[in-house]
Amino acid sequence: MSDLNNIALKILSNGKGILAADESTGTMTKRLEAVNVESTPENRLLFRETLFSSESMKKCIGGVILYDETIKQKSSSKKTIPELISSSGAVPGIKVDTGAKVLAGSPDEKITEGLDGLRERLHVYYKLGARFTKWRGVYIVSDKHPSKLSINSNAHALARYSSLVQENGMVPIVEPEVLMDGDHSAEDCLNKTSEVIKKCFEELVHHKVNLEGIILKPNMILPGTKSNKKIKNEEVAKLTLKCLKESVPKEVPGIAFLSGGQKEIEATENLNLINKFNDTNFIMSYSYGRALQQSAIKFWSKDIRNIKGTQEIFNHRANMCSLAAQGKWSEELEDK
Ligand code: 13P
């Protein structure tokens, strides 16, 4: 097995998943201001370090995605943040795209940027301790979207990114996110997500990416947030599995879902059902941002010095997600 495959398995095996703590400063400022905490580098570090030094890191978190600011910060114990993460057995990762910008030629859509100078930035991140990376492409859904232009250009960027990342000894997370915004049905989400993922793999193969050394980070198959055709969680799980079975090559070792705006328990329950019904060889785990941090940040904001209390909230959420990644979660466990 290749080194890259070993890193991917280390991140996702035994009920472990990924903590996506790579919010850009702009996004993190929104999250902090929503709970009335000032967004300073110190406060951003304090919240993140609180999570990274919690007990559940050892059992539930196989990898942490960092933002450029955080990977260069030092923890209160003087360890660098990547050292702190590694000391609990998790792998440090880094978001390397520079954001989604308006797609020329289709101004309602976005193309993710960050390829210029990427090889040089990857050298730096590797030296800082990163062993995996993230790049997110975003796609909107309507009767005309995502356009072929958006599907092709984002797939091309994801493939160029992945091949550079592997060249530098790191595992690329390939994240094509079909957004939940809109009134589309789950069936529309299924069709569009399948088309998007298939095109990504076509480009990854074209760019000679080793598929055993990537992690796919897709959305689950859900109706749009404004759709009046809601579906049961069992159906979400079945449609998600159908989509992935039909569009992901079997060499891919693991799939780590984004939460994409789902509530914490909803994201946990859906992942649990996916694992209950999982008849593939893919590991199905989580790479959650909001669905791991929402309750913790709310609690923390009331007293930012209450490290222990915040860690208890985070530990619970991480434990629930880890059980869901093994199909062992149930609603009663939420109250314990
Ligand atoms: P959410 O789980 O909040 O969607 O964040 C995951 C992520 O990393 C998005 O790029």
Side-chain angles (χ1 to χ4, degrees), residues 85-266:
I85 290 166
S86 302
S87 69
S88 68
V91 182
I94 179 78
K95 184 226 302 283
V96 300
D97 67 65
T98 55
K101 309 284 158 59
V102 172
L103 174 61
S106 182
D108 292 335
E109 299 184 288
K110 293 199 167 148
I111 176 73
T112 302
E113 296 191 343
L115 289 170
D116 288 352
L118 179 57
R119 180 180 273 128
E120 292 70 26
R121 287 193 293 125
L122 291 172
H123 291 165
V124 175
Y125 289 139
Y126 189 94
K127 279 204 185 119
L128 289 168
R131 291 297 177 269
F132 77 103
T133 64
K134 179 186 117 173
W135 181 289
R136 170 174 174 260
V138 282
Y139 307 84
I140 55 170
V141 178
S142 77
D143 46 353
K144 293 191 234 57
H145 301 112
S147 65
K148 288 269 181 273
L149 179 61
S150 149
I151 293 174
N152 294 348
S153 49
N154 276 296
H156 181 257
L158 276 161
R160 283 200 55 206
Y161 140 82
S162 297
S163 113
L164 279 164
V165 169
Q166 290 193 337
E167 178 196 270
N168 284 283
M170 294 182 276
V171 168
I173 292 189
V174 176
E175 181 179 9
E177 176 175 4
V178 176
L179 295 170
M180 284 164 69
D181 310 332
D183 59 4
H184 54 275
S185 65
E187 196 187 344
D188 290 333
C189 179
L190 171 67
N191 294 335
K192 312 259 177 181
T193 304
S194 300
E195 190 182 354
V196 161
I197 294 179
K198 281 181 187 157
K199 186 67 194 175
C200 284
F201 280 106
E202 195 183 309
E203 286 292 330
L204 289 169
V205 170
H206 194 201
H207 287 251
K208 306 199 167 22
V209 172
N210 168 9
L211 298 185
E212 290 183 0
I214 73 155
I215 293 171
L216 178 69
K217 176 164 173 168
N219 49 284
M220 294 180 191
I221 303 302
L222 295 156
T225 44
K226 295 211 190 89
S227 166
N228 46 24
K229 290 191 222 135
K230 298 292 171 223
I231 60 169
K232 293 207 168 90
N233 292 332
E234 283 76 10
E235 197 61 18
V236 171
K238 285 182 183 159
L239 292 176
T240 302
L241 282 164
K242 178 176 161 58
C243 170
L244 297 170
K245 269 199 273 193
E246 289 171 5
S247 49
V248 184
K250 61 181 184 340
E251 291 86 349
V252 174
I255 293 172
F257 294 97
L258 58 95
S259 60
Q262 293 183 71
K263 297 270 177 302
E264 289 178 339
I265 295 194
E266 182 189 5

